[in-house]
Amino acid sequence: MLFHLHVKNLALIDSAEVEFDDGLNILTGETGAGKSVIIGSVNIALGAKASRDLIRQGCDSAYVELVFSVTNEKKRKELERLDVIPDDDSLIIISKKIMPARSISKINGETVTSARLREITGLLIDIHGQHEHQSLLYHARHLEILDEYGKSRAAGLKQNIAEKYREYIELKKKLESMNLDQEQRLREMDFCRFEIDEIENAALKPGEEEECQSVYRRFANARKITESLAMAHEAVSADGVSKALRAVEDALQYDEGIRSIRDQLYDVDSLLSDLSREISAHMEEMTFDGEAFREVEERLDLIRNLENKYGKTIEDVLKSLEEKRKRLEELEHYDLLRVQTEKALKETEKELEKMSANLSKLRRKIAAELTEKIEDGLKELNFLDVKFAMEFRKLGHYTAAGYDEAEFMISTNPGEPVRPLGMVASGGELSRIMLAVKTVLAETDDIPTLIFDEIDAGISGRTAQMVSEKLGVIAKSHQVICITHLPQIAAMADSHFEIRKAVEEGRTTTTIRPLNREQMTEELARLLGGAEITEAVRQNAREMKELAERRKKAGKEV
């Protein structure tokens, strides 16, 4: 679960820290207090783009840190497969530092890319934005919801279809490329043979270019090398060390303590003699061979010309040679290969059709189960005479997910046929439908933390009470963090936080604080009463909180 949130120098926030609990965490506050900044900071830490304009004025950088507690063994293993190991306290720390020129994300101190960050955090938290219900207007999202619900049953089949689809596309592209007429084929064969002969005649060897470059450098700098060796030979051939050795040997008869000096001088004199002979031998070998130099130069030119045409290195050129040999073989057996490719494509398409049909059949079975549960949930959310179904259509082509196109259908009035959601549901109804969907998905979803950002928009009254109970149900199996403006939902809080905006020392600052029981009641009264909070409003707030607690204690199911 999301255990701790720390935000510093972001927008109106100077410094804010929150410790969330299990169950239902509610965030409330006046309009404009900065509720969106709190959820925005979480989004930023999870990989969303962060504008440098979000850095608090007068600060060099902004910082967001999320601390997740991971105690579930299955979740730990999933993270370990991504090379993420919780620390000794089962914590994973995700941070993002936002600077004017760039942003840096880290997981347990290790810098990560945005793509890797999203992959990892996708196992830990899911955010449902206040306008997410509008995605229900796009029926492409409906199939995603269905597959998400049935992922445990359909995952293997979907993976097999994706692999078969890739094979199908590759064969299709290959067949489409086999459209040469006889004249084009013969022309390409001649060109292939020319290129193959050109590379083969060169008889290239791996590492040859480096060897030729070394010989070329030696020839090109022969005079400089000879001059340098002559200077070295003169230096090591000087008799200074020999004179020193003779002098020390004369003195040795008077002082045995300098014997080690004599021995060292002897070793140095012997070493210099050997070195002088080795330099002389190398100088004798350093004869400039003009013909050999031209041969090396021409060989290097040939190698570099082939590299310019066929690859950056000799290895690339040799790889290109194998590809051209393969292409020539294809061209020489062009008609046979085309027939074989056509046959393979038909067989693959037949298998893909069968697999897609099996997936479609399974999806319809899962859809019947899903829509029944959503319909039950909608009835509990004050859709009294609702019918909810899913309509399937077969696409005219295959995809990596089969050939299905699916759309949710709904009827909210008796006697009316089911129709697409976008033609029937209002914004407030879509919000409730999305909540019903999320409630059902929560039964199979193993993501531990769910954030709802004002998903209760457009509802009130009895419906709001039912929504609060739905969130309570989800919070039994997930940590739920919910921003709301409705007292019915806020009353269900296991933990309640107030987001407040105030002016301190001439600067506007957003803060967040946990509320105790009395403060929760006062905040509920504010949500109920608006500008004027009377004792009657406070009493109403107390009764609302007590009722919510009795419902939770009784474990009422919705």
Side-chain angles (χ1 to χ4, degrees), residues 394-443:
K394 185 176 179 180
L395 293 169
H397 58 275
Y398 299 102
T399 72
Y403 59 46
D404 282 327
E405 183 178 43
E407 184 173 14
F408 287 134
M409 311 289 284
I410 191 171
S411 169
T412 57
N413 296 303
E416 291 292 325
V418 291
R419 291 189 292 169
L421 282 179
M423 297 175 60
V424 178
S426 65
E429 288 174 330
L430 283 174
S431 187
R432 281 186 282 161
I433 293 168
M434 177 58 85
L435 184 58
V437 169
K438 293 300 182 184
T439 305
V440 174
L441 292 182
E443 297 174 6

Side-chain angles (χ1 to χ4, degrees), residues 172-273:
K172 196 172 182 180
K173 287 180 179 178
K174 183 177 180 180
L175 187 61
E176 288 171 354
S177 69
M178 301 179 77
N179 57 359
L180 301 177
D181 58 29
Q182 183 72 3
E183 183 178 344
Q184 290 173 317
R185 185 163 64 92
L186 292 174
R187 195 161 50 240
E188 187 178 348
M189 287 171 64
D190 288 341
F191 190 60
C192 272
R193 290 191 185 100
F194 168 77
E195 291 181 316
I196 290 170
D197 288 343
E198 184 177 34
I199 299 173
E200 286 181 339
N201 290 338
L204 300 175
K205 299 176 182 177
E208 181 182 4
E209 183 177 8
E210 291 77 10
E211 184 180 338
C212 287
Q213 286 174 335
S214 177
V215 174
Y216 179 84
R217 281 194 300 271
R218 189 167 72 250
F219 277 138
N221 297 281
R223 178 178 294 179
K224 174 66 176 174
I225 294 171
T226 301
E227 291 175 353
S228 298
L229 288 175
M231 292 174 62
H233 185 267
E234 182 179 351
V236 301
S237 299
D239 60 353
V241 174
S242 297
K243 288 181 179 179
L245 177 61
R246 288 194 296 271
V248 171
E249 283 181 333
D250 288 342
L252 184 62
Q253 59 184 315
Y254 307 111
D255 184 0
E256 280 293 323
I258 62 174
R259 181 174 293 278
S260 65
I261 297 175
R262 193 282 310 268
D263 292 344
Q264 291 180 61
L265 283 170
Y266 181 84
D267 291 340
V268 171
D269 185 56
S270 177
L271 179 63
L272 288 175
S273 297

Side-chain angles (χ1 to χ4, degrees), residues 107-160:
I107 296 180
N108 285 356
E110 178 187 346
T111 302
V112 294
T113 64
S114 294
R116 176 162 169 76
L117 179 66
R118 285 190 290 270
E119 181 183 20
I120 292 166
T121 57
L123 297 173
L124 300 172
I125 189 168
D126 194 5
I127 296 182
H128 310 297
Q130 58 181 312
H131 302 299
E132 187 187 1
H133 60 271
Q134 294 175 1
S135 67
L136 288 174
L137 297 175
Y138 305 100
H139 64 259
R141 175 75 176 113
H142 301 175
L143 189 62
E144 292 176 15
I145 291 171
L146 174 65
D147 285 348
E148 185 179 349
Y149 175 76
K151 59 186 176 184
S152 62
R153 286 173 279 178
L157 186 52
K158 282 189 68 179
Q159 182 178 349
N160 292 339

Side-chain angles (χ1 to χ4, degrees), residues 438-492:
K438 293 300 182 184
T439 305
V440 174
L441 292 182
E443 297 174 6
T444 56
D445 192 355
D446 63 354
I447 297 176
T449 299
L450 303 176
I451 295 181
F452 292 95
D453 182 10
E454 295 191 17
I455 200 172
D456 53 15
I459 61 175
S460 60
R462 175 58 183 156
T463 302
Q465 179 62 43
M466 293 174 175
V467 168
S468 73
E469 293 172 0
K470 279 289 182 187
L471 288 172
V473 170
I474 298 175
K476 289 180 180 179
S477 56
H478 297 71
Q479 179 194 40
V480 175
I481 300 170
C482 179
I483 288 181
T484 185
H485 62 280
L486 295 178
Q488 295 92 332
I489 293 177
M492 290 291 288

